[in-house]
Amino acid sequence: MGSHRTLLLHVWREVSRHLEIAESTATIAALLEPQLPIRQVLVRRFDWEREVVETVAAGMKNSGSWGGEVKSKCSMTHKQAIRAWSKQGRLLQFGRFSPLPDSQAESIAAEVVFPPGISGEAIAGPLGESGNPCGALVLVAADGAGFESSQLELVNLLLEPFSAAMENDQRLRELAALREAAEADKRSLLNRLGRKALADTVVGADSGLRLVMERVDLVARSDVPVLIVGETGTGKELVARLIHNRSSRASGPFIRVNCGAIPPELIDSQLFGHERGAFTGAVERRQGWFERADGGTLLLDELGELPLAAQVRLLRILQDGWLERVGGHHPIHVDVRIVAATHRDLAAMVATGKFREDLWYRVAVFPIHLPPLRERRQDIPALAAHFAEKAATRFGLALAMPSAQDIALLQSYPWPGNIRELAAVIDRAAILGNGTRLEVATALGVGKIRPHLGTDDSPPESRGTKSHSSFLPLDQAMKQHIEAALAATRGRIEGPFGAAQLLRINPHTLRARMRKLGIDWKRFREPGGHEKR
């Protein structure tokens, strides 16, 4: 051990310097050459899931590449033999002048530990945990040379640093696999959301929302409570996220709570948490939304729906940051920034006693008013294009942008549902147009859906006069459109005269949508017909 101390120190340094085992092996091979009669240093990895043994690193005397087979098939018998060999702690020797293995397990293990195509003398030792090795170190002797018994001590000492190198390499591979899985999940999420990036896009930031963006920039860097007021569908949550992302709390959690969706009897438990046994059904301790948002931002959406009793307890948290779980006896301090949002007139509710005046003063420190879409019609062309891109991505359709006639129709509509309604209309128009165009008039409920083309023959000047109550929901409009195509094709789905061809959609996609919408194609077949589904 003492004679090899300096060499081992250099080997450990190379292992620590390089995370990838291929890099460290190449450098270590050059360090070992003066001490051992080697021609090649190979690292073989045991991949039990794929049932292969493969060469993952090679250090060469002449800077070449390993010329033999990289992979060897590993059967269950080989796996058991390798594990038995690693428990014995013996080195395997290969070559004409090497002694025969002492056991059948060693003989079977040698079949895959040494790569096919190897020539001359070679020696191998297990890497990793005894009984469950992750690989093997293989040293191939120079031409005409062999390993002496005095050199086996150094080979055994090399197994520990190479085991560490294998572990580092394995962790690097796992991190790479996790990164690829995360990227795949991110792409899938963006595709479902119809986005190209995770960052929220603010359409109209330089026009209709310019004043709003100025107020967001003013308040984001401070920690004062913000009250966002606007009609339903104007994008209050988007503005709240912008405030969070531009604040010093951006790395903390952003939690949204819809106050109007929480049953009155569960409000305290949801907001402040509860202890185990606090009430029937409380089988474990639960953190409330305030604790979960600690260090970040809590969006209290539809704050005007909060009952007066809950408003009292909310006021205390806003005053000093302390809360108590339901059934608890110890106060808990939280550091949370409050952003409230509502479509109600809280000042009028204060006057009628439906909202606490002291809570109003606490949450309305910095109000931001979001204008409805009818007051920012100049943003409709950009918004329509934005939602058309999202719809094409989410539904897997060819990109179809709104025409000038479509924009004129959209700008003449009052938009009681604001941006949320516009997004739904563009989604519906993209589906009805099937990637070839946007059926905006039909999506707005202005025109009639024709069986073959779904076009609108009504004059442009009459398209904005349809009552809001006559608009079809998206699923119902899609269902009627598909049923009209099935009726025209007598229930046939595939082929040149099928509904899929008529609707310009893949037959498999059409069947999936039919199942989702509950459409039975058999209703449209003629008695005794044999049309191809």
Side-chain angles (χ1 to χ4, degrees):
M1 174 68 180
S3 60
H4 303 307
R5 187 182 303 274
T6 302
L7 175 61
L8 288 175
L9 180 62
H10 289 299
V11 171
W12 274 108
R13 183 162 48 193
E14 293 302 324
V15 168
S16 303
R17 182 181 299 173
H18 304 290
L19 290 178
E20 294 185 358
I21 197 169
E23 296 180 2
S24 57
T25 301
T27 309
I28 293 173
L31 295 173
L32 297 178
E33 186 178 356
Q35 303 290 331
L36 295 171
I38 57 172
R39 173 166 50 94
Q40 295 162 334
V41 178
L42 306 176
V43 177
R44 301 273 282 169
R45 182 165 66 93
F46 304 144
D47 191 333
W48 305 124
E49 291 185 2
R50 294 189 299 153
E51 298 183 342
V52 297
V53 179
E54 58 183 343
T55 302
V56 294
M60 306 299 171
K61 180 178 180 180
N62 297 319
S63 302
S65 60
W66 167 243
E69 293 290 333
V70 174
K71 295 182 181 180
S72 303
K73 191 66 177 176
C74 180
S75 65
M76 180 58 68
T77 302
H78 288 128
K79 180 179 179 180
Q80 294 172 349
I82 289 173
R83 288 182 169 176
W85 160 60
S86 70
K87 287 182 179 180
Q88 296 172 1
R90 281 171 41 86
L91 297 176
L92 284 179
Q93 289 184 292
F94 175 88
R96 184 174 53 178
F97 302 106
S98 299
L100 294 175
D102 284 356
S103 67
Q104 185 179 8
E106 290 184 359
S107 178
I108 296 174
E111 294 177 2
V112 291
V113 169
F114 294 106
I118 195 172
S119 61
E121 296 287 306
I123 195 168
L127 301 178
E129 182 182 352
S130 176
N132 188 28
C134 58
L137 173 65
V138 179
L139 303 179
V140 182
D143 294 337
F147 296 97
E148 300 177 2
S149 58
S150 60
Q151 296 170 328
L152 299 183
E153 178 188 0
L154 175 58
V155 177
N156 277 308
L157 293 174
L158 291 173
L159 297 180
E160 186 176 359
F162 269 96
S163 295
M166 280 289 288
E167 185 177 353
N168 290 340
D169 187 75
Q170 181 64 25
R171 290 181 178 178
L172 196 63
R173 290 171 183 265
E174 291 174 355
L175 286 174
L178 290 174
R179 189 182 300 112
E180 291 178 3
E183 287 295 327
D185 290 342
K186 176 183 174 181
R187 290 192 296 270
S188 176
L189 174 62
L190 291 174
N191 185 61
R192 291 198 300 270
L193 295 176
R195 295 182 180 180
K196 296 180 180 179
L198 288 177
D200 292 309
T201 301
V202 182
V203 180
D206 297 326
S207 51
L209 289 180
R210 182 175 56 83
L211 295 178
V212 171
M213 298 306 296
E214 289 178 358
R215 294 184 68 81
V216 168
D217 289 335
L218 281 174
V219 76
R221 291 183 293 272
S222 66
D223 247 3
V224 300
V226 178
L227 177 63
I228 305 174
V229 181
E231 296 180 4
T232 299
T234 51
K236 295 186 287 294
E237 182 179 349
L238 174 61
V239 173
R241 287 185 180 275
L242 285 174
I243 293 173
H244 171 74
N245 293 334
R246 298 183 183 186
S247 71
S248 58
R249 299 173 177 266
S251 58
F254 176 88
I255 304 293
R256 173 187 174 271
V257 181
N258 188 339
C259 298
I262 306 176
E265 63 274 11
L266 295 179
I267 286 180
D268 284 354
S269 172
Q270 292 290 318
L271 292 180
F272 315 125
H274 63 253
E275 297 288 346
R276 180 179 179 182
F279 50 84
T280 302
V283 296
E284 61 182 0
R285 174 183 291 178
R286 180 187 183 277
Q287 288 186 332
W289 294 115
F290 274 91
E291 286 187 77
R292 297 184 189 185
D294 190 24
T297 303
L298 180 63
L299 170 60
L300 297 175
D301 201 5
E302 300 302 339
L303 181 66
E305 308 298 328
L306 205 61
L308 287 171
Q311 293 178 24
V312 176
R313 290 182 284 278
L314 176 61
L315 181 62
R316 180 190 173 188
I317 300 179
L318 295 181
Q319 287 175 337
D320 53 26
W322 291 90
L323 62 85
E324 283 187 11
R325 299 192 187 110
V326 177
H329 304 287
H330 302 287
I332 300 171
H333 186 267
V334 291
D335 177 23
V336 177
R337 184 192 189 158
I338 298 297
V339 177
T342 183
H343 70 283
R344 292 182 174 272
D345 186 350
L346 294 186
M349 294 179 65
V350 169
T352 58
K354 296 180 179 179
F355 196 84
R356 290 185 62 92
E357 186 176 11
D358 45 6
L359 181 58
W360 157 252
Y361 291 135
R362 285 286 180 180
V363 298
V365 176
F366 195 94
I368 296 179
H369 173 71
L370 286 184
L373 186 56
R374 60 183 174 274
E375 294 180 8
R376 42 180 295 218
R377 297 183 186 276
Q378 70 272 27
D379 294 336
I380 289 180
L383 286 167
H386 172 69
F387 290 130
E389 291 181 0
K390 291 181 64 175
T393 302
R394 188 164 63 253
F395 302 138
L397 301 171
L399 177 60
M401 301 300 285
S403 65
Q405 188 177 13
D406 293 333
I407 295 299
L409 182 58
L410 293 173
Q411 289 182 321
S412 66
Y413 181 70
W415 298 112
N418 292 294
I419 297 176
R420 185 180 295 129
E421 184 183 7
L422 174 60
V425 166
I426 296 299
D427 282 350
R428 187 158 58 237
I431 294 172
L432 292 173
N434 198 28
T436 61
R437 60 194 176 279
L438 292 179
E439 289 286 354
V440 172
T442 305
L444 277 172
V446 175
K448 295 180 180 179
I449 302 177
R450 287 165 51 179
H452 293 282
L453 298 177
T455 56
D456 178 21
D457 294 330
S458 60
E461 60 273 11
S462 67
R463 294 183 181 178
T465 61
K466 195 77 170 180
S467 66
H468 184 60
S469 61
S470 64
F471 295 157
L472 292 175
L474 177 59
D475 285 348
Q476 186 178 348
M478 191 191 311
K479 183 176 181 179
Q480 290 185 5
H481 199 57
I482 294 175
E483 287 179 342
L486 289 171
T489 59
R490 299 174 182 175
R492 188 182 183 92
I493 295 178
E494 292 191 33
F497 304 105
Q501 178 71 20
L502 189 64
L503 295 172
R504 299 184 183 91
I505 191 174
N506 185 284
H508 299 295
T509 305
L510 178 58
R511 288 192 185 95
R513 293 182 182 176
M514 289 168 59
R515 285 194 296 269
K516 179 181 178 182
L517 298 172
I519 300 175
D520 184 8
W521 63 276
K522 296 178 183 178
R523 293 192 295 111
F524 302 93
R525 293 181 59 180
E526 291 183 346
H530 299 283
E531 288 83 357
K532 183 180 179 182
R533 264 195 81 207

